[in-house]
Amino acid sequence: MAVRVRVLYFGTAREAVGRREEELYLDGAPSVGDLVALSLRSHAALRAIASSMRLAVNEELAGEDERLADGDVVAFLPPVAGG
Amino acid sequence: MAGRRAPHLRAGRIDPGEALRGAASRKGGAVALFLGTVRDNGKAGKVRSIEYEAYAAMAEKVLARTEAEVRRRWPGTAGVRILHRVGRVRVGEVSVAIAVSSPHRAEAFEACRFAIEAIKHDAPIWKRERLAGGKDVWVGGVPIGSAREGGGR
């Protein structure tokens, strides 16, 4: 019954976590906020910069309340600096 | 958008001519070309190169949407093409190219300006400067999707 989520880390988030991506499993009907909390539990270095991050679900910006489904891709997006 | 055109993100050198050709149209009376280039100095010191990192799948969507938004805001737009580098870009090289073809010069300039501001706020792209001493520093940015000044033109 667990929901499997692929989590992507970019920029400073990638450096803090030490990898580009991982898979996390959550029970019930998890939200983006639940996923963030789970990730922060295992990545202490990410906590310091977490408040500056925004999240994307399946390549679209998403709020903390958005529900996750099995197979969703969640990305941690630090402040951007393209151009 | 997928498959219809070559990608917006490029791992190799950007040819501004490609952006110009991508925007070219017989309806155009003015073409504005914006090039972002890597300068040799940053807040942290002398810069050798910049490493661009992108969330490629999302950035492709955002850049395609930015082109569509230019056409929506300036309905007379004859053509628009955006190219953005990823990976290591050396001082003097082009990091982003935007070409807009419009019936008249005012819209071409405005739309080009709009596009670069949109990219800076909405595209999931990050950069890290490689300094002359060998140190790497992340360049501070803005929260993705945050409001931009003058975006309403």
Side-chain angles (χ1 to χ4, degrees):
Chain A
M1 273 313 281
V3 171
R4 179 181 50 92
V5 178
R6 190 171 154 223
V7 189
L8 309 180
Y9 301 100
F10 292 97
T12 52
R14 174 175 54 74
E15 283 194 341
V17 168
R19 65 176 96 162
R20 200 168 285 280
E21 64 175 275
E22 64 184 349
E23 285 197 340
L24 294 178
Y25 296 82
L26 300 103
D27 288 320
S31 67
V32 169
D34 296 331
L35 182 280
V36 171
L38 179 61
S39 171
L40 294 185
R41 274 206 285 283
S42 46
H43 304 299
L46 191 55
R47 288 175 209 149
I49 54 174
S51 65
S52 70
M53 301 281 154
R54 290 211 58 193
L55 283 299
V57 176
N58 302 330
E59 300 156 11
E60 302 291 341
L61 292 177
E64 299 256 311
D65 295 336
E66 189 161 318
R67 294 284 152 192
L68 294 171
D70 192 55
D72 277 351
V73 178
V74 174
F76 280 73
L77 309 175
V80 295
Chain B
M1 300 287 158
R4 197 168 66 82
R5 307 179 88 170
H8 299 90
L9 295 177
R10 300 301 170 87
R13 198 178 282 257
I14 284 176
D15 170 16
E18 184 187 346
L20 290 171
R21 288 190 296 277
S25 164
R26 295 174 62 89
K27 287 192 296 172
V31 179
L33 173 67
F34 174 83
L35 300 178
T37 57
V38 172
R39 62 175 167 270
D40 70 357
N41 61 93
K43 281 180 185 153
K46 190 169 162 55
V47 172
R48 282 267 167 75
S49 61
I50 292 181
E51 186 85 21
Y52 282 85
E53 175 178 343
Y55 180 5
M58 184 175 172
E60 284 289 349
K61 282 188 190 174
V62 170
L63 296 177
R65 252 180 233 158
T66 302
E67 291 175 346
E69 184 66 8
V70 163
R71 292 177 181 279
R72 193 186 70 77
R73 288 177 185 240
W74 290 272
T77 298
V80 51
R81 186 68 172 130
I82 298 169
L83 303 173
H84 200 299
R85 275 291 294 273
V86 290
R88 173 155 306 169
V89 187
R90 295 176 197 287
V91 167
E93 287 184 358
V94 174
S95 55
V96 59
I98 303 166
V100 180
S101 173
S102 308
H104 304 287
R105 65 188 180 283
E107 305 96 284
F109 278 121
E110 282 177 16
C112 214
R113 177 69 193 269
F114 167 82
I116 184 61
E117 300 302 331
I119 290 166
K120 283 180 174 286
H121 285 81
D122 298 336
I125 298 174
W126 301 272
K127 60 187 167 196
R128 199 168 42 165
E129 291 172 343
R130 168 141 299 178
L131 303 179
K135 232 179 85 181
D136 285 350
V137 292
W138 288 101
V139 177
V142 296
I144 187 168
S146 60
R148 47 188 178 267
E149 293 161 36
R153 290 219 174 193

